[in-house]
């Protein structure tokens, strides 16, 4: 799964997903908790959680263990990260409400999909990026440092450092 090769979900993955669901129930019910308590909950589940990283509940993910957050990262309410492979978010990146980050992908061939096979492609989001509310980041995309993604955009291709993209599909815009 983590190598980006085809895999079939098995009992071990189901158990990992169930553990993530139990963790999400605790995290999402902890709205009144202190920043330190929320940070501790994130650190218990994620691969890496930088200093002062914040995710406002509710938050949803597949596993959690494939997510790395840099220092000062902020995710607003209702974000979704499907982390069947690695998702890396750089320092001081801000992500608006209801942003969806999808590493999970499916074969284009119907027979292979019918066989229950899946794969994932990692997502890397640089430092000092701003992603507007409701944006969708598709599997395999990299977003360079200092880039800006407009609200509601669907990012289907890599975004260059410092670029501004918007739309469906997201295309470069003048800043």
């Amino acid at each position: 799964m983590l190598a980006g090769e085809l895999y079939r979900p098995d009992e071990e993955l189901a158990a990992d997903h169930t553990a993530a669901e139990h963790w999400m129930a605790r995290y999402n019910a902890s709205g009144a908790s202190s920043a330190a308590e929320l940070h501790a909950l994130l650190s218990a589940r994620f691969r890496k959680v930088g200093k002062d990283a914040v995710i406002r509940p509710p938050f949803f993910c597949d596993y959690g263990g494939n997510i790395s957050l840099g220092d000062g990262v902020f995710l607003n309410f209702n974000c979704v990260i499907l982390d069947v492979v690695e998702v890396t978010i750089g320092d001081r990146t801000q992500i608006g409400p209801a942003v969806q980050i999808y590493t999970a992908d499916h074969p284009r061939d119907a027979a292979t999909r019918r066989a229950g096979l899946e794969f994932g492609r990692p997502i890397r989001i640089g430092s000092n990026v701003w992603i507007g509310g409701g944006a969708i980041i598709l599997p395999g995309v990299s977003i360079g440092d200092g880039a800006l993604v407009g609200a509601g955009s669907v990012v289907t291709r890599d975004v260059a450092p410092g670029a501004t993209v918007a739309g469906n599909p997201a295309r470069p815009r003048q800043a």
Side-chain angles (χ1 to χ4, degrees):
M1 179 172 90
L2 292 175
E5 297 174 3
L6 288 172
Y7 68 92
R8 181 174 284 108
D10 59 15
E11 290 179 21
E12 181 180 351
L13 287 177
D16 287 347
H17 185 69
T18 298
E21 287 177 336
H22 291 296
W23 174 85
M24 282 183 286
R26 283 193 317 277
Y27 189 82
N28 291 333
S30 65
S33 295
S34 71
E37 291 169 321
L38 290 173
H39 194 274
L41 279 169
L42 290 172
S43 297
R45 190 82 202 154
F46 287 11
R47 175 174 290 166
K48 176 186 178 259
V49 181
K51 182 179 183 280
D52 299 324
V54 173
I55 297 179
R56 286 188 171 168
F59 168 77
F60 307 94
C61 63
D62 269 334
Y63 302 101
N66 295 321
I67 300 170
S68 296
L69 305 177
D71 293 342
V73 167
F74 175 79
L75 279 76
N76 214 326
F77 304 103
N78 270 326
C79 286
V80 173
I81 300 179
L82 301 185
D83 64 313
V84 301
V85 295
E86 186 174 279
V87 173
T88 304
I89 302 173
D91 296 341
R92 297 168 305 283
T93 287
Q94 297 183 14
I95 297 178
V99 168
Q100 300 170 58
I101 300 171
Y102 303 151
T103 65
D105 209 338
H106 301 277
R108 303 308 182 256
D109 174 66
T112 307
R113 282 195 311 274
R114 211 171 24 254
L117 295 170
E118 305 173 358
F119 67 100
R121 295 186 285 149
I123 292 177
R124 288 174 179 63
I125 300 170
S127 296
N128 299 304
V129 171
W130 177 45
I131 300 175
I136 299 172
I137 314 301
L138 294 184
V141 166
S142 290
I143 299 175
D145 293 345
L148 187 148
V149 176
S153 296
V154 178
V155 183
T156 62
R157 294 194 165 104
D158 290 353
V159 177
T164 296
V165 300
N168 181 4
R171 297 189 193 284
R173 305 284 192 231
Q174 296 295 347

